Amino acid sequence: MTMIGVLGGMGPLATVDFLDRVVRLTDAARDQDHLPMVVAHLPQTPDRSRSILAGDALPLPYLLHGIELLNRNQVGLVVIPCNTSHHWYAQLSAHSAAPILHIAQTCVAALPGDTGSVAILATRGALASGIYQAALDARGIGAVVPPEPVQLQVDACIRAVKAGALDAAAAAIGSALARIAGLGVGAAIMGCTEIPVAARGLAVPPVMLVDSTTELARATVAFALARGWNKAA
Amino acid sequence: MTMIGVLGGMGPLATVDFLDRVVRLTDAARDQDHLPMVVAHLPQTPDRSRSILAGDALPLPYLLHGIELLNRNQVGLVVIPCNTSHHWYAQLSAHSAAPILHIAQTCVAALPGDTGSVAILATRGALASGIYQAALDARGIGAVVPPEPVQLQVDACIRAVKAGALDAAAAAIGSALARIAGLGVGAAIMGCTEIPVAARGLAVPPVMLVDSTTELARATVAFALARGWNKAA
């Protein structure tokens, strides 16, 4: 049996949200139609954003440990529902026998063809890493990095989700999105997997949202179903 | 690092619900305060209830495979958010170096001391296995097995959650609980992990509900926090 490998715990609620999307996006009438997975849920991995900004690689040994765990356990694909970790995508890929879906490339591939520009809602580390700017540039789409007052609200949203404070998180992201709309930008990428957990608490988002968690889940389900991993051997 | 081992996928949404409870029940301000886990999400495991009723053990090799996977990966505890699987608890425990929390015993331990009798909402296999009757008997609490018309609605609820039809599942369990209340029974154990997923869709349950998913999650978090598994080595 071949399984989906999920390197998670970064953060914990975001990983649960990703798993929920994988299950709900799988067309299934009974347990056995669903997809098998191994999840390495490793929240002790040091803060990715902090390390990118500081220029160190403290999270890398933890991420490589998770990649090894998954590869030891019959996974045919690795997915990492943490955008910022993809700063080390090249090193992780080189260390993994199973291919790794790139969350930012997967998410940007889901944007409509006529998208002119899009705001990137992400950690400061992911913004400094440039993973979304590179994926958008490859498609000729303009990247809007939020101005400092908006980024402060994005930071607050992410921190609140990690602490389980979902009402505060929804308020922070709602306020950030209202300011984004005020800049005349019509779409935003939720390029940190904490953000969709918060944004689902909003009644009506003021701009079109593209959700990196959902897009990664959609690509994961398509990859695994195409290979029949839910068919018992 | 020692991790919590979760043998899941039975069913998939119930496992996601269990993981969600573990995360929300952990008092944490940041990722690194949360608990590390390995999840073997194995939905191809054959139907447990059917096998118990047929008198075969088709799921057992799948369950043992999951137990082995978890024990190979540094887990210090195994939990199985599937009540019916506990029919094979003795065999699974004998095969696991890590202790396994027993979901029915954990759930029954959470009942108030003055509980006189309680209805058991579970699969027909779990009812035939008697895991809840034994745990209740050990505490001197009367076990009420639902009459056939109620059990048919419990069956429908469980089947609907496994297929992702949560509205239909909530309607079925709502109707079952109204009939339980009509019998004069004041409390019910949700002794199948699909049922709480459905019951959360009810505005006001007509009887007191004890949730095997939440109680297993609570015991899991307490076990792991007491041993400091969220402290990076």
Side-chain angles (χ1 to χ4, degrees):
Chain A
M1 185 172 60
T2 306
M3 297 185 283
I4 297 163
V6 180
L7 178 50
M10 305 171 284
L13 269 187
T15 293
V16 171
D17 186 48
F18 172 77
L19 298 173
D20 185 67
R21 308 252 121 188
V22 167
V23 173
R24 289 179 197 261
L25 286 166
T26 305
D27 184 30
R30 52 189 194 126
D31 286 358
Q32 291 77 17
D33 299 333
H34 283 276
L35 291 161
M37 299 190 264
V38 181
V39 185
H41 187 87
L42 306 175
Q44 274 63 49
T45 308
D47 188 300
R48 286 68 63 196
S49 184
R50 198 213 56 78
S51 279
I52 293 169
L53 298 174
D56 67 50
L58 293 179
L60 189 55
Y62 290 77
L63 296 169
L64 292 173
H65 171 79
I67 294 289
E68 283 168 17
L69 188 159
L70 295 173
N71 276 280
R72 269 201 315 270
N73 289 287
Q74 301 156 273
V75 306
L77 175 71
V78 169
V79 289
I80 312 171
C82 167
N83 286 271
T84 313
S85 296
H86 288 69
H87 177 67
W88 293 281
Y89 180 80
Q91 293 96 315
L92 301 180
S93 271
H95 206 71
S96 182
I100 307 178
L101 286 181
H102 192 300
I103 193 170
Q105 289 169 10
T106 303
C107 184
V108 166
L111 287 170
D114 59 353
T115 307
S117 68
V118 62
I120 309 170
L121 307 179
T123 64
R124 289 173 192 264
L127 291 170
S129 176
I131 51 173
Y132 272 98
Q133 292 93 323
L136 289 167
D137 193 54
R139 282 199 59 197
I141 299 171
V144 178
V145 172
E148 181 64 17
V150 177
Q151 186 60 40
L152 282 170
Q153 291 173 313
V154 172
D155 297 345
C157 166
I158 296 169
R159 209 164 44 232
V161 172
K162 289 177 185 294
L166 296 188
D167 290 345
I173 201 65
S175 171
L177 291 172
R179 284 171 181 245
I180 294 281
L183 297 173
V185 180
I189 290 173
M190 298 192 285
C192 169
T193 53
E194 265 74 33
I195 297 174
V197 175
R200 291 199 192 106
L202 298 177
V204 184
V207 299
M208 192 190 88
L209 294 174
V210 185
D211 173 347
S212 60
T213 304
T214 299
E215 297 309 331
L216 185 65
R218 205 190 305 279
T220 300
V221 169
F223 189 103
L225 286 182
R227 287 160 181 79
W229 291 352
N230 57 340
K231 310 282 184 238
Chain B
M1 186 173 59
T2 306
M3 297 185 283
I4 298 162
V6 181
L7 178 51
M10 305 171 284
L13 269 187
T15 293
V16 170
D17 186 47
F18 172 76
L19 298 173
D20 185 66
R21 308 252 121 189
V22 167
V23 172
R24 289 179 197 261
L25 286 166
T26 306
D27 184 29
R30 52 188 195 126
D31 285 358
Q32 291 77 20
D33 298 333
H34 283 277
L35 290 161
M37 298 189 265
V38 181
V39 186
H41 187 87
L42 306 175
Q44 275 63 49
T45 308
D47 188 299
R48 284 71 60 196
S49 184
R50 197 213 56 78
S51 279
I52 293 169
L53 297 174
D56 66 50
L58 292 179
L60 188 55
Y62 290 76
L63 296 170
L64 293 173
H65 170 79
I67 295 288
E68 284 169 17
L69 188 158
L70 295 173
N71 276 280
R72 270 201 314 271
N73 289 287
Q74 300 156 272
V75 305
L77 175 72
V78 169
V79 289
I80 312 172
C82 167
N83 287 272
T84 314
S85 296
H86 288 69
H87 177 67
W88 293 280
Y89 179 81
Q91 293 96 316
L92 301 180
S93 271
H95 206 72
S96 182
I100 305 179
L101 286 182
H102 192 298
I103 192 168
Q105 289 169 10
T106 302
C107 184
V108 167
L111 286 170
D114 60 351
T115 306
S117 68
V118 62
I120 308 170
L121 308 179
T123 64
R124 288 173 192 265
L127 290 171
S129 176
I131 50 172
Y132 272 97
Q133 292 93 325
L136 289 167
D137 194 53
R139 282 201 58 198
I141 300 172
V144 178
V145 171
E148 181 64 17
V150 177
Q151 185 61 38
L152 283 169
Q153 292 173 312
V154 172
D155 298 345
C157 166
I158 296 169
R159 211 165 41 234
V161 172
K162 289 177 184 295
L166 296 188
D167 290 346
I173 200 65
S175 171
L177 291 172
R179 284 170 181 246
I180 294 281
L183 296 173
V185 180
I189 288 173
M190 299 192 284
C192 168
T193 53
E194 266 73 34
I195 297 175
V197 176
R200 291 199 192 105
L202 299 177
V204 184
V207 299
M208 193 192 85
L209 294 174
V210 185
D211 173 347
S212 60
T213 304
T214 299
E215 297 310 331
L216 185 66
R218 206 189 304 279
T220 301
V221 169
F223 189 102
L225 285 182
R227 286 158 181 81
W229 291 352
N230 58 340
K231 310 282 185 236

